Amino acid sequence: MVQTFIVMSRCVAKAGVGFLLLISAFGALAPERASAQGILSLEQDPRQMALDIFSGVNRGSPPETIALKITQLINAYRFRCTRVTDYQVFGARPNLIDIKVKCSGEPLFGVTVASNGYVAVFGGNGMVSPLDRRDALIYSFAADGRVESDSRITAGDAFDETVERLELGDQYNMMYVLAMFATLLAVVSAIALVWLKMWRHRKGKRRHHRGIKPMAKHAVAASSVIKDQLLKESTQISKKLFKHPSGVLIARGKKGKRRFFKSRFWATTYTLLGWRMFEAGAPDPIEMPEFEAPKAETIDELVNLS
C-alpha cells in the first residue's frame, strides 16, 4: 500500500513538472505569435518611433539621437540603412515634419512623421531630390555616430562664397544687373531732362502776372471766337489735331478744349492723355474775325462766353 502511494506521488510530481514546462514554452512562443499578428513591442512600433522623432525635432534633441531613431524607423520598413550619414529637416509644419535622410551607400530617403503617429518612408531609388543647404540645416555624422559638421555658414563664409561666385563669372546674373541698372539710369535721366526743359521753357516765357511759378501752366489769352477763326485757317492733320499756317498746332482735348503747341508730340499727348506740357501761345489770325455783341444779361454769362 505504501509503495503504491509512493508511485502515485511520483507520477503527480512528473505531471506537474510537465505542466509547468508546457506553460513556460507557451509563454516563450507568445511574443512571436503576437509579432506575427502585427502586435509589436513599444520599441519596435513604427508609430512610436515616429512620435519620438517628431518630439525630438520639436524639442531640439541631440541630432545623434534623432539619427538613431531614423535609422531604426527606416529598417523597420525593410529598407537597408546601416547608419545615417546626413539628414535635413526641410519641411516643418505644426503637425507634420518632412526629413531627407542619406544612409551610407544608399540614395536619399524621405521620412514624414506627424504628431498623431502617422509615418511614411519613401525613396531609396533616386526619387528624392539632393540635399540643399538653402532649404534647411544639414547635419552630417561621422562613422562613430557623432555630429561631424553642419551646414551653418558665418558672415565670413558668406562673403567668401560671394567673392568666389563673382570670380567664377556668372555672366547671366551680371548682365541682368547691368541691364536693370542701365534701364533705371535711362528712366531717371529722361525724367530729369523733361523737367529741365519744362523749367527752361517756362522761365524763358514772359510772365503774364506777378508771382507766377516757373512750372505753372501757361494761360493762353484767346477767346473762343479767335480759336474758331484759327481752326478755319488751319489744316486738319488728324481727328483732334490741326496745323496753322504759322506752324502752331491746335489740339483738341478730351473735354473739347483747344490748346496750342509747337511740338506735335506734346500736342498728341494732350489729345490722348490731357497733359498740358510745353504749351505755346496762340498765333495771330490771318483774318480778324467779325465780333458780334454778346447777348448776355449778366457779367457771369459774358465771362462764360469766352
Side-chain angles (χ1 to χ4, degrees):
M1 191 69 182
V2 176
Q3 293 180 353
T4 304
F5 179 76
I6 294 173
V7 171
M8 292 179 62
S9 299
R10 289 179 179 177
C11 291
V12 171
K14 290 182 179 179
V17 172
F19 182 73
L20 291 176
L21 291 175
L22 181 61
I23 292 176
S24 61
F26 180 80
L29 293 175
E32 296 180 0
R33 185 175 302 175
S35 299
Q37 294 178 354
I39 304 174
L40 301 176
S41 62
L42 194 60
E43 293 79 7
Q44 296 177 345
D45 190 355
R47 293 172 298 178
Q48 184 60 43
M49 297 179 189
L51 292 174
D52 293 341
I53 295 172
F54 182 86
S55 60
V57 172
N58 287 329
R59 295 176 182 177
S61 299
E64 296 89 344
T65 304
I66 299 175
L68 181 59
K69 290 290 183 180
I70 293 174
T71 304
Q72 296 174 356
L73 181 61
I74 294 176
N75 289 324
Y77 274 80
R78 299 187 181 278
F79 290 102
R80 185 174 63 182
C81 184
T82 55
R83 69 179 184 88
V84 172
T85 59
D86 306 272
Y87 82 82
Q88 177 188 39
V89 181
F90 72 96
R93 283 155 283 182
N95 297 320
L96 200 68
I97 293 177
D98 298 319
I99 306 174
K100 289 182 181 180
V101 183
K102 179 67 173 69
C103 293
S104 178
E106 300 293 334
L108 285 175
F109 290 99
V111 177
T112 301
V113 294
S115 58
N116 60 354
Y118 170 81
V119 57
V121 179
F122 53 91
N125 54 0
M127 65 177 293
V128 181
S129 60
L131 297 173
D132 191 346
R133 70 177 181 183
R134 291 175 295 183
D135 297 334
L137 189 65
I138 301 173
Y139 290 100
S140 300
F141 301 91
D144 57 356
R146 292 182 298 179
V147 176
E148 186 177 19
S149 63
D150 55 44
S151 61
R152 291 188 181 93
I153 59 173
T154 62
D157 296 335
F159 177 77
D160 294 338
E161 287 189 2
T162 304
V163 172
E164 291 177 1
R165 190 178 298 111
L166 293 176
E167 289 178 351
L168 290 175
D170 195 346
Q171 296 181 359
Y172 176 78
N173 291 336
M174 290 299 296
M175 291 295 294
Y176 178 78
V177 172
L178 290 176
M180 290 295 296
F181 178 76
T183 303
L184 182 62
L185 182 62
V187 171
V188 173
S189 301
I191 294 175
L193 181 61
V194 169
W195 282 102
L196 180 62
K197 291 183 65 176
M198 289 180 62
W199 185 81
R200 289 182 177 178
H201 181 73
R202 300 301 182 210
K203 186 176 181 181
K205 276 186 169 294
R206 186 177 63 180
R207 297 179 180 179
H208 292 271
H209 56 85
R210 185 184 180 89
I212 188 171
K213 297 180 180 180
M215 298 301 296
K217 295 179 179 179
H218 175 64
V220 180
S223 63
S224 298
V225 178
I226 294 178
K227 291 180 180 179
D228 293 338
Q229 179 64 29
L230 292 173
L231 283 179
K232 292 179 181 179
E233 299 171 356
S234 302
T235 304
Q236 186 173 2
I237 301 176
S238 62
K239 184 178 179 180
K240 296 184 179 181
L241 193 61
F242 302 84
K243 185 174 183 181
H244 193 262
S246 62
V248 177
L249 296 171
I250 305 173
R252 190 189 302 273
K254 294 182 178 181
K255 297 182 180 180
K257 294 184 179 181
R258 294 161 291 187
R259 305 295 179 185
F260 303 95
F261 300 89
K262 291 184 178 180
S263 171
R264 183 167 181 174
F265 174 78
W266 298 115
T268 307
T269 302
Y270 174 72
T271 59
L272 297 177
L273 304 176
W275 294 353
R276 296 174 57 184
M277 301 176 68
F278 299 102
E279 191 176 353
D284 296 330
I286 299 175
E287 297 180 4
M288 293 301 296
E290 296 180 1
F291 292 94
E292 296 181 0
K295 297 179 181 180
E297 297 180 358
T298 61
I299 298 178
D300 294 336
E301 293 180 0
L302 181 61
V303 173
N304 292 333
L305 288 175
S306 60

